[in-house]
Amino acid sequence: MINTNDQALFRVEPNLINPNAEDNAKRLMSYLCDIYGKRILTGQQIGVVTSPEVDIIYETTGKYPAVYGFDFMNYSPSRTERGSACSDTDIAIDWWNNGGIVTFCWHWNAPKDLVDELPDRNWDKGFYTNATTFDVKKAMDDESSEDYLLLIRDIDAISLQLLRLQEAGVPVLWRPLHEASGGWFWWGAKGAEPCVKLWKLMYDRMTNLHKLNHLIWVWNGQHADWYPGDEYVDIIGEDIYPPAQHYESQSERFRTAQSYSKKNKIIALSENGPIPDPDLMVRDQALWAWNCTWYGNFVYTEKDGRKQYSGEFTELAQLLKFYNHPFSVTRDEVPDLRSYPLR
């Protein structure tokens, strides 16, 4: 499947940036490196409140995705203090125990200074730049400030959830501070410098203080100026939302993502709307490590009180092709990663 001239680009050594990474993380990384450039892991993101997407995928295709995407959003302290609850950690543990792979992002509700105005700037939109006046640059420039200490508080709160996953033996493809260069999230609203500093702070605190050694760090900043350095990144992710029913391989974005690093890094399609056609991915050598289709109407519609596959973004025939293609890996094909060989 791989052109001879491109083979070297898909050779990635499974060396995690955390020198104390635990074996389950190393085994998952070994597996990802072994299949990179040969197969793509099918993936699906969970819904924020309800999560019918994976069940609908199974009902439609007869198969579960290999990768399930979760979100720590409702564990953010500025949401829990307003009554938000979340069970993503528990669902993720069950998913791993049933043979699947876990990835987490974090729509980080700003620690304070929420605009809290209906309809579009309510407190539950507090991860968006336009729904908070929290200034990440001001916070990162003054480590004695209340704002900086609130960032620490929030990182520690999410670390407790990650610790639960570590104690359950679950390695995590960890994708914080996503899409930062777009500026639509507060962590990217003040430019690259404070965001990169925040990434390094989070890595240091989670790795060296909280001893979270089950994390594989997936950077998803989407611009070279925002790249924190190879020593802070295990995998590079790109989020791509083409128009509905457009199935291009996204090879240009794939090549751009490869250019961020001075080393070979695994490249993943960490969010997508329509699913790229696997034949086009192979043809164009845009061999994403996994995809993660976004939730809601990207997957299903509701008719007569019943949720069912929509086909609005990825047509049914295209979905079936993807889930049954020899390039694609579904959950039933994932080996036992608890005993996968280390290398």
Side-chain angles (χ1 to χ4, degrees):
M1 283 186 179
I2 305 175
N3 294 332
T4 303
N5 292 338
D6 291 341
Q7 281 185 355
L9 294 174
F10 296 96
R11 277 195 214 104
V12 179
E13 294 301 317
N15 301 320
L16 294 172
I17 56 173
N18 178 1
N20 298 312
E22 63 175 29
D23 280 355
N24 272 0
K26 292 179 181 178
R27 293 183 197 281
L28 174 54
M29 189 63 176
S30 292
Y31 173 61
L32 294 174
C33 290
D34 286 347
I35 67 168
Y36 183 49
K38 305 178 182 72
R39 308 285 301 275
I40 183 173
L41 296 163
T42 55
Q44 179 60 54
Q45 181 72 25
I46 196 172
V48 174
V49 179
T50 58
S51 53
E53 290 83 4
V54 164
D55 292 335
I56 289 169
I57 293 291
Y58 182 77
E59 290 170 7
T60 306
T61 67
K63 299 180 179 183
Y64 286 111
V67 178
Y68 202 173
F70 301 90
D71 195 335
F72 284 127
M73 173 167 46
N74 279 336
Y75 294 108
S76 301
S78 67
R79 294 174 81 94
T80 59
E81 68 191 16
R82 290 169 168 82
S84 292
C86 192
S87 56
D88 280 32
T89 301
D90 303 283
I91 300 170
I93 292 169
D94 289 342
W95 183 257
W96 168 257
N97 288 335
N98 283 299
I101 295 168
V102 169
T103 183
F104 265 91
C105 67
W106 180 17
H107 283 88
W108 185 350
N109 228 59
K112 57 176 280 198
D113 299 331
L114 303 176
V115 174
D116 206 6
E117 292 179 356
L118 291 172
D120 299 324
R121 306 173 76 193
N122 197 33
W123 64 264
D124 63 351
K125 304 287 188 184
F127 45 88
Y128 285 124
T129 298
N130 69 352
T132 179
T133 59
F134 186 81
D135 188 327
V136 65
K137 183 179 188 306
K138 179 182 174 184
M140 294 306 299
D141 284 347
D142 184 359
E143 295 184 10
S144 65
S145 68
E146 176 194 15
D147 291 5
Y148 182 87
L149 295 176
L150 285 171
L151 291 175
I152 294 291
R153 177 203 66 177
D154 287 12
I155 291 170
D156 291 350
I158 300 307
S159 295
L160 290 176
Q161 297 302 320
L162 287 166
L163 181 61
R164 290 182 58 206
L165 290 157
Q166 179 167 260
E167 289 172 344
V170 183
V172 176
L173 298 168
W174 172 224
R175 186 174 67 98
L177 306 183
H178 64 292
E179 300 176 9
S181 64
W184 44 78
F185 298 134
W186 62 261
W187 51 86
K190 299 296 180 178
E193 182 183 1
C195 185
V196 170
K197 288 170 67 176
L198 182 57
W199 177 280
K200 292 178 179 179
L201 169 67
M202 185 183 295
Y203 175 80
D204 178 66
R205 195 161 183 90
M206 287 186 168
T207 304
N208 298 317
L209 177 67
H210 293 292
K211 309 297 183 185
L212 297 173
N213 297 322
H214 64 312
L215 304 180
I216 297 174
W217 288 76
V218 181
W219 176 81
N220 183 209
Q222 311 213 132
H223 192 285
D225 292 348
W226 299 65
Y227 191 65
D230 286 341
E231 68 272 29
Y232 289 98
V233 174
D234 289 309
I235 291 173
I236 294 168
E238 288 285 296
D239 296 355
I240 306 176
Y241 289 88
Q245 301 180 12
H246 281 237
Y247 309 124
E248 295 88 350
S249 67
Q250 305 299 333
S251 58
E252 184 176 344
R253 291 283 295 273
F254 187 86
R255 305 298 174 214
T256 299
Q258 286 179 317
S259 74
Y260 297 145
S261 171
K262 295 178 182 178
K263 300 179 179 179
N264 281 358
K265 298 278 187 182
I266 286 175
I267 310 298
L269 184 58
S270 41
E271 289 183 25
N272 63 274
I275 303 171
D277 187 290
D279 288 326
L280 297 181
M281 286 190 267
V282 172
R283 183 197 71 185
D284 299 340
Q285 297 296 283
L287 303 173
W288 304 95
W290 71 84
N291 84 292
C292 198
T293 305
W294 206 241
Y295 63 86
N297 64 348
F298 288 103
V299 178
Y300 70 88
T301 187
E302 191 163 346
K303 185 176 181 180
D304 299 326
R306 182 179 180 274
K307 294 181 175 70
Q308 59 189 32
Y309 188 72
S310 164
E312 178 185 353
F313 288 87
T314 300
E315 295 159 286
L316 176 59
Q318 191 69 20
L319 180 78
L320 293 171
K321 176 181 180 179
F322 181 61
Y323 269 80
N324 289 284
H325 199 278
F327 182 54
S328 303
V329 178
T330 48
R331 193 178 76 174
D332 57 297
E333 297 178 273
V334 176
D336 182 358
L337 295 174
R338 292 181 177 87
S339 59
Y340 193 82
L342 293 168
R343 70 175 176 91

